[in-house]
Amino acid sequence: MKLNIKDTYNRELSADPNRNNTRRQVFGASFSYATPRVPSKPVLAHASDEMVGAIGLNGKDKESGEFLQVFSGGKVMGGTEPYAMCYGGHQFGNWAGQLGDGRAINLAEVVHDNQRWALQLKGAGETPYSRSADGLAVLRSSIREHLCSEAMYHLGVPTTRSLSLILTGDEVLRDVLYDGNAVYEKGAVVCRVAPSFVRFGSFQIFAARRDNENLKKLADYTIRHFFPNLEEGTKEGYIQFFQEVADRTLDMVVHWQRVGFVHGVMNTDNMSILGLTIDYGPYGWLEGYDDNWTPNTTDAQGKRYRYGNQPGIALWNLVQLGNALVPLVEETKPLEEILAGFREKYAEKYMTMMRHKLGFQLEKDEDEEIIGDLEKMLQATETDMTIFFRKLSYFGRQTKTDGHGKFLQPVMDAFYKPEEVKDEVLKFWREWFDKYLNRLGNEEATDEERRTWMNRANPKYVLRNYMAQMAIDKADKGDYSLIDELYQLLKKPYDEQLEHERWFVKRPEWARHKVGCSMLSCSS
Ligand code: AMP
Ligand code: MG
């Protein structure tokens, strides 16, 4: 196994001189050296062939004992110095001070095909940032992270990736519902991959500690390697950097809204400086369209991170990042201007995205109303978001509405309670479809062309919460086949894949209130 190792983060930024693995506050450093814990009996449950190739390995490497050793934490590669990153963050709106990689250990960076990839193990044991926790991860949450990162990539959503999912052979104690019933679960390690794992919180920690020297060092490092089109070390460069981060964050959230992804824990330590979806914890997918939905039971009261709040929270988080960059920019006005532009930009991009979902290639004044009314209807009638939009392309110029609801037949599958689609509800849907069909009349594309265009915005297959849970239940019994089946399916989420239509169905009723399907905790 030969990797082209080219470390930068642990070469160019400040290291914590203390090499002991004791929990502490780490000052004046971007990272602390940390050695992964050796697993007792590693077993490879799954690897992403694509990521194996992306980092410069092949199928034979993947099967090798060395791969298993390295990516489970059992062996440190020659010439590398693994480390845990220091960062802080706002958790649920409150400054939480130092957080850091409490259970992530960066192995190395590799460069392959002109692309830099940082390789990071999640669940490989304690680091100076572990606070009171164990540094480990369980199989259930590791499967969810591994599958979802890869699925998101293929949906076209900016994201960190996942190379491998390895069982450690060790047991990990977890209290899923935080109700005093802790049980032992199987431990696992995921190797996450991204150009960089630097977060908003990486900057915040230095700003909070008034450590301008390291703040500047980190900003210059990030610009040098990941924003090479920007100027390093100048005020103008830092302002443009903030603009770029804001734009990328905005794009990421528009994609989340498009596919119905709810992150669940948008704390500033979980916001990637590259605008990638990062830290797959208690995330979930909208099934019934619902602005107020969050899968995270820890957030059930305030619902801070609910679907409809994600754009606002992205902005809130950008405000925190902006604050952290003030010492570099030395004035607030240019940063404020960038933040002030966010809402309008978001509204524009959101409209463009929704037009794609609805099959409008032209821009018309009435679009805003049509889209707004649709959101209200989807919210009022429990409607499966993925199925509804995918099937919407079946409507065309010839479709005529009627008072009995026959015209709704193509999207009938999307309603969780079809028997309720009558009287007033039916009347509203009919009014909406009349407007929609009328609007389609303005379009030049044929029905066929429009369907192709819509199918690129509306995935047919997403990693529904119950699907991940089924893969978890099987894997718990030692059968990893469903992990690979879902991985293969979700590589082509926009393709019809008729042989896989059993995954193109609404959430089954058994999953409505099941832990792991509709309710997820941070316990991972
Ligand atoms: P998260 O909510 O996963 O983003 O985690 C917030 C903070 O808690 C980060 O600093 C994590 O590294 C840390 N953390 C989460 N779970 C564990 C764990 N099992 N052991 C040690 N640290 C953890
Ligand atoms: Mg995190």
Side-chain angles (χ1 to χ4, degrees):
M1 195 169 90
K2 188 99 192 72
L3 287 167
N4 180 28
I5 294 166
K6 291 265 188 301
D7 282 344
T8 58
Y9 190 92
N10 59 355
R11 306 267 143 161
E12 298 172 27
L13 296 171
S14 305
D16 172 9
N18 183 350
R19 287 196 176 239
N20 296 329
N21 197 352
T22 52
R23 292 146 200 233
R24 58 184 181 263
Q25 291 292 307
V26 174
F27 295 97
S30 274
F31 66 94
S32 305
Y33 294 106
T35 308
R37 165 180 146 136
V38 178
S40 43
K41 196 176 175 296
V43 173
L44 179 67
H46 195 260
S48 156
D49 291 334
E50 268 188 5
M51 288 318 291
V52 168
I55 62 167
L57 298 180
N58 59 35
K60 235 172 102 189
D61 293 323
K62 187 185 94 176
E63 306 299 333
S64 69
E66 197 184 2
F67 184 95
L68 188 65
Q69 287 293 309
V70 167
F71 297 114
S72 64
K75 183 191 155 191
V76 174
M77 291 181 285
T80 66
E81 287 193 287
Y83 57 93
M85 291 175 160
C86 179
Y87 51 80
H90 280 86
Q91 296 185 310
F92 296 94
N94 304 304
W95 176 243
Q98 176 182 303
L99 296 167
D101 287 336
R103 54 149 163 198
I105 295 181
N106 297 270
L107 296 181
E109 294 166 47
V110 300
V111 175
H112 182 68
D113 280 346
N114 286 321
Q115 171 66 59
R116 172 173 302 282
W117 295 110
L119 308 174
Q120 181 184 86
L121 300 186
K122 187 164 173 183
E126 291 168 35
T127 76
Y129 308 97
S130 298
R131 293 177 292 164
S132 58
D134 57 12
L136 304 176
V138 293
L139 179 59
R140 123 181 93 76
S141 61
S142 305
I143 291 175
R144 285 170 47 83
E145 172 134 21
H146 178 69
L147 278 180
C148 199
S149 349
E150 292 302 285
M152 289 282 270
Y153 171 77
H154 289 107
L155 282 165
V157 185
T159 179
T160 60
R161 305 287 302 269
S162 180
L163 171 70
S164 54
L165 166 67
I166 299 178
L167 281 96
T168 57
D170 298 310
E171 296 206 307
V172 177
L173 194 62
R174 285 290 181 269
D175 183 356
V176 180
L177 297 177
Y178 299 118
D179 60 359
N181 291 310
V183 292
Y184 280 102
E185 298 187 43
K186 289 180 180 163
V189 171
V190 160
C191 181
R192 317 197 270 194
V193 186
S196 169
F197 287 99
V198 171
R199 304 132 188 273
F200 288 14
S202 312
F203 294 85
Q204 285 184 283
I205 190 74
F206 292 133
R209 289 169 168 174
R210 313 228 180 282
D211 182 348
N212 288 354
E213 189 189 323
N214 277 301
L215 177 66
K216 181 170 174 355
K217 218 169 164 181
L218 177 65
D220 290 344
Y221 165 85
T222 308
I223 291 173
R224 182 159 68 246
H225 290 288
F226 306 104
F227 298 83
N229 54 321
L230 304 183
E231 211 171 44
E232 183 190 327
T234 68
K235 182 177 147 177
E236 197 44 46
Y238 300 132
I239 296 168
Q240 284 175 8
F241 166 61
F242 186 56
Q243 179 73 66
E244 273 262 344
V245 177
D247 288 346
R248 291 192 194 192
T249 304
L250 190 153
D251 281 340
M252 172 187 79
V253 175
V254 172
H255 277 293
W256 288 358
Q257 305 308 92
R258 173 175 66 83
V259 299
F261 175 81
V262 186
H263 183 285
V265 203
M266 289 177 74
N267 292 336
T268 56
D269 58 304
N270 293 341
M271 298 294 290
S272 147
I273 204 71
L274 303 183
L276 306 173
T277 312
I278 188 174
D279 267 0
Y280 291 87
Y283 69 82
W285 296 83
L286 285 191
E287 299 192 288
Y289 180 95
D290 183 359
D291 258 351
N292 295 316
W293 189 71
T294 173
N296 185 357
T297 48
T298 315
D299 190 24
Q301 292 299 313
K303 297 197 178 192
R304 180 178 171 86
Y305 299 140
R306 63 188 185 271
Y307 175 69
N309 223 21
Q310 297 192 120
I313 291 291
L315 176 57
W316 194 92
N317 289 342
L318 282 163
V319 172
Q320 310 314 316
L321 177 65
N323 277 331
L325 297 180
V326 171
L328 301 179
V329 178
E330 293 174 321
E331 57 168 328
T332 54
K333 202 160 159 270
L335 300 169
E336 279 164 8
E337 278 169 11
I338 292 168
L339 292 166
F342 185 94
R343 277 185 205 284
E344 207 176 311
K345 245 188 191 175
Y346 178 81
E348 248 173 58
K349 292 216 164 184
Y350 179 80
M351 281 304 285
T352 304
M353 177 275 282
M354 288 302 286
R355 282 196 183 96
H356 287 195
K357 284 182 85 68
L358 290 170
F360 302 160
Q361 279 174 293
L362 306 174
E363 286 181 24
K364 298 276 174 194
D365 289 342
E366 72 234 57
D367 294 353
E368 210 152 316
E369 189 188 315
I370 294 179
I371 289 164
D373 286 352
L374 174 61
E375 286 163 351
K376 276 185 219 134
M377 287 308 297
L378 290 173
Q379 178 90 23
T381 328
E382 194 184 4
T383 312
D384 192 275
M385 179 177 177
T386 305
I387 297 180
F388 181 86
F389 280 103
R390 185 73 183 190
K391 293 262 180 109
L392 191 60
S393 70
Y394 285 73
F395 291 82
R397 290 173 198 284
Q398 304 308 320
T399 312
K400 296 269 177 296
T401 62
D402 61 76
H404 316 287
K406 259 185 113 162
F407 72 97
L408 278 175
Q409 204 268 329
V411 289
M412 220 49 200
D413 269 356
F415 297 122
Y416 278 89
K417 295 175 188 131
E419 67 283 2
E420 289 179 6
V421 184
K422 58 177 187 188
D423 308 332
E424 278 298 287
V425 178
L426 178 57
K427 189 166 150 264
F428 280 122
W429 274 116
R430 184 178 180 188
E431 279 167 15
W432 186 81
F433 270 98
D434 280 334
K435 275 191 225 162
Y436 176 64
L437 295 167
N438 189 40
R439 172 67 181 78
L440 285 186
N442 296 325
E443 293 286 325
E444 284 148 22
T446 64
D447 286 351
E448 196 58 34
E449 285 163 350
R450 192 179 56 254
R451 182 170 304 158
T452 309
W453 153 272
M454 288 173 80
N455 283 353
R456 273 187 251 136
N458 298 318
K460 181 168 178 182
Y461 302 102
V462 295
L463 182 63
R464 288 171 186 270
N465 313 308
Y466 84 90
M467 291 161 66
Q469 189 57 40
M470 285 170 75
I472 291 165
D473 290 342
K474 266 198 161 176
D476 216 26
K477 299 191 188 93
D479 178 353
Y480 312 124
S481 59
L482 194 48
I483 299 176
D484 190 59
E485 184 180 332
L486 295 179
Y487 168 75
Q488 300 296 348
L489 170 79
L490 297 169
K491 264 185 177 173
K492 294 178 184 152
Y494 300 100
D495 287 9
E496 288 299 331
Q497 300 195 68
L498 295 176
E499 69 282 16
H500 289 305
E501 278 213 327
R502 72 183 176 109
W503 298 117
F504 184 53
V505 291
K506 292 191 283 268
R507 172 199 62 225
E509 278 307 305
W510 61 258
R512 186 181 279 270
H513 299 297
K514 189 171 155 38
V515 175
C517 296
S518 61
M519 290 187 285
L520 289 142
S521 81
C522 284
S523 163
S524 54

